[in-house]
Amino acid sequence: MTQTAAPTDAPVRAPHPTRSRRAWIIVGLLVAFMLINHADKSVIAFAGVQIQKDLGLSSEQFGLLQSSFFWLFAAGALFFGWLSSRVSLRWLLAGLMLTWVATMIPLLGTVSFGVLIACRVVLGFAEGPAFALANHAAHSWFPPEKRAMAGGFVSAGASIGTLLAAPALTWIIFRWDWHAAFYVLIAMGVLWAVAWLILGRNSGDGDAAPTSTVVVETVDAPYKTILRTGTVIGIAVLMFSSYWSTTLKIAWLPVYLQEGLGYDTATAGQLMMLPYGLAAVGAIGAGWISGRLVSRGVSRKVARGWFSAALVAGGGLSMAGFTLLDQGTPQLILIALAFSMNTAAFGVALSAIADVVQAKKRGMVLGMLSAIASISGMVAPLVLGFTVGSSVDKITGYAIGFQSSGVLMIVGAIVAVFLVNPERDIALIRRRVEATA
């Protein structure tokens, strides 16, 4: 029997109000989790010009520094994804947060290039599973037709993190120095860990979600069966091409606004609010639209696959386009779209995995997808850094790098359109399991 997107005729038990409130409290904590996560990632970029001057770094070395965050990102995503089926997410997420805090303590004072890289490598290992595990925890509290919305809020948390951090951390760095920003991040991390340990009980439990109006018939299948489905492969391709944009936004966009377009540090920090603000609104809106489509009987192939692919392709077109415009409002609009539409796609795309994969194996699969995405995170800063450093001038280097990135995103979106089909793959998994029973 295959999964359908249409509502059933059977009576449906309404979610208990207390459970529903608890679910949204969990989502609120996960939004804060991703807020801190993205602020931790972004602070080096906000201080990029100052760090390069203080440590005497070239563009290639700064690209290496930003790339180092992703060297063990995949390993962390895989390890903690595997661990999520054995350790409660209450303790796992709190432990990750405290690890993030520990990596920032050495950066409170004078630091060498080697120590800075070492701290970023360890931070990357501990932040590798963050997005996957946050989505896993959110999905466990909601029925299928509301998962994309919950995932949209989690995705928005990442954008809100930088939306708030951009002016705040930039001001702190401008007022004092880049070391001072880590005092704030450390305090935020400790406070969140305490709140999560108090309120985060039962997160990640497979039976936490209330009864759904949509039939869901996922099957407990071996990983080798799950990973061979078009939906998982297609979302992996989409995550890789989409995260390329996210990485460039974190690692290079603040520097590009200053070096490439000539904005001062304070103005660049303010302009960074545009893509992050649009991404936050877009992620929530995209999740709501996807959920409405599913609840109205639209196939998940369209509501999850085609929709998320269209968002990533739109981001790619915008990225290639803004390099062709002169400095001004139209260019800033395309920059905002280029670095926000892909973020809006994340929650929708990962809800397709929740449609196909049972809860007890979802954390590992989401961890694998994060690991694949991290490859682009490791490569993208290096590619752009060497492109800028080896070109006749920085403007030309930035143009070539961003145009190539836009093409990559468009190609990845096209591939995903042909592969992602949750209804088909649930039926396929069921047949393969029954054939081996």
Side-chain angles (χ1 to χ4, degrees), residues 19-34 80-81 84-85 87-94 96 129-144 146-155 192 196 199-210 347 350-351 353-354 357-367 370:
R19 181 184 290 272
S20 180
R21 286 194 297 270
R22 179 76 187 286
W24 285 109
I25 289 173
I26 293 296
V27 168
L29 285 170
L30 293 171
V31 169
F33 178 77
M34 293 307 302
F80 289 106
S84 68
S85 63
V87 177
S88 167
L89 285 181
R90 179 191 182 195
W91 298 103
L92 192 56
L93 294 185
L96 287 176
F131 187 67
L133 294 184
N135 272 274
H136 178 31
H139 290 161
S140 69
W141 284 90
F142 292 88
K146 294 184 179 180
R147 284 175 183 159
M149 183 69 167
F153 273 96
V154 172
S155 297
W192 186 91
W196 179 255
L199 300 171
R201 296 186 304 276
N202 301 323
S203 296
D205 290 349
D207 59 353
L350 292 186
S351 62
I353 301 300
V357 183
Q358 274 200 336
K360 67 180 181 179
K361 291 186 176 176
R362 195 179 300 148
M364 182 62 180
V365 174
L366 291 174
S370 292

Side-chain angles (χ1 to χ4, degrees), residues 29-89:
L29 285 170
L30 293 171
V31 169
F33 178 77
M34 293 307 302
L35 185 155
I36 297 170
N37 172 274
H38 237 61
D40 291 348
K41 292 179 183 178
S42 304
V43 64
I44 296 295
F46 296 143
V49 174
Q50 193 176 110
I51 289 174
Q52 289 184 75
K53 289 181 179 177
D54 286 355
L55 301 183
L57 305 181
S58 65
S59 294
E60 290 86 350
Q61 286 176 308
F62 186 73
L64 181 67
L65 172 62
Q66 293 290 51
S67 173
S68 68
F69 176 85
F70 294 97
W71 291 352
L72 294 181
F73 197 90
L78 291 172
F79 174 72
F80 289 106
W82 168 81
L83 199 61
S84 68
S85 63
R86 293 162 174 79
V87 177
S88 167
L89 285 181

Side-chain angles (χ1 to χ4, degrees), residues 328-378:
T329 300
Q331 184 190 55
L332 290 176
I333 291 173
L334 286 187
I335 289 174
L337 291 172
F339 294 103
S340 62
M341 294 183 74
N342 67 305
T343 301
F346 283 143
V348 176
L350 292 186
S351 62
I353 301 300
D355 292 337
V356 173
V357 183
Q358 274 200 336
K360 67 180 181 179
K361 291 186 176 176
R362 195 179 300 148
M364 182 62 180
V365 174
L366 291 174
M368 291 178 181
L369 292 174
S370 292
I372 292 171
S374 74
I375 298 173
S376 66
M378 183 170 57

Side-chain angles (χ1 to χ4, degrees), residues 200-235:
R201 296 186 304 276
N202 301 323
S203 296
D205 290 349
D207 59 353
T211 301
S212 173
T213 60
V214 177
V215 177
V216 179
E217 298 181 8
T218 55
V219 181
D220 184 9
Y223 285 113
K224 66 179 181 180
T225 299
I226 295 170
L227 298 179
R228 288 161 56 194
T229 62
T231 295
V232 173
I233 296 171
I235 295 300

Side-chain angles (χ1 to χ4, degrees), residues 98-314:
L98 293 176
T99 303
W100 303 353
V101 167
T103 67
M104 291 184 281
I105 292 175
L107 307 182
L108 297 178
T110 303
V111 63
S112 68
F113 181 55
V115 171
L116 183 55
I117 283 187
C119 289
R120 298 301 285 180
V121 170
V122 177
L123 179 64
F125 178 77
E127 289 199 350
F131 187 67
L133 294 184
N135 272 274
H136 178 31
H139 290 161
S140 69
W141 284 90
F142 292 88
E145 65 271 24
K146 294 184 179 180
R147 284 175 183 159
M149 183 69 167
F153 273 96
V154 172
S155 297
S159 298
I160 294 170
T162 309
L163 179 64
L164 298 178
L169 294 180
T170 300
W171 180 81
I172 291 170
I173 292 166
F174 181 78
R175 176 66 178 80
W176 288 283
D177 59 28
W178 61 276
H179 303 282
F182 290 101
Y183 283 96
V184 176
L185 296 175
I186 288 171
M188 291 173 61
V190 172
L191 289 174
W192 186 91
V194 172
W196 179 255
L197 287 173
I198 295 172
L199 300 171
R201 296 186 304 276
N202 301 323
S203 296
D205 290 349
D207 59 353
T211 301
S212 173
T213 60
V214 177
V215 177
V216 179
E217 298 181 8
T218 55
V219 181
D220 184 9
Y223 285 113
K224 66 179 181 180
T225 299
I226 295 170
L227 298 179
R228 288 161 56 194
T229 62
T231 295
V232 173
I233 296 171
I235 295 300
V237 172
L238 197 66
M239 290 286 289
F240 177 90
S241 56
S242 179
Y243 204 71
W244 190 282
S245 172
T246 298
T247 306
L248 293 182
K249 177 170 64 176
I250 296 168
W252 277 103
L253 183 56
V255 180
Y256 170 65
L257 290 172
Q258 295 174 66
E259 288 188 341
L261 300 183
Y263 295 103
D264 60 44
T265 301
T267 303
Q270 294 170 356
L271 291 177
M272 284 295 295
M273 297 175 69
L274 293 174
Y276 283 104
L278 187 58
V281 174
I284 296 171
W288 180 83
I289 292 170
S290 179
R292 292 289 292 173
L293 291 173
V294 170
S295 65
R296 292 188 176 189
V298 176
S299 71
R300 288 177 175 83
K301 177 180 179 179
V302 174
R304 310 296 204 211
W306 291 11
F307 186 31
S308 57
L311 290 169
V312 173

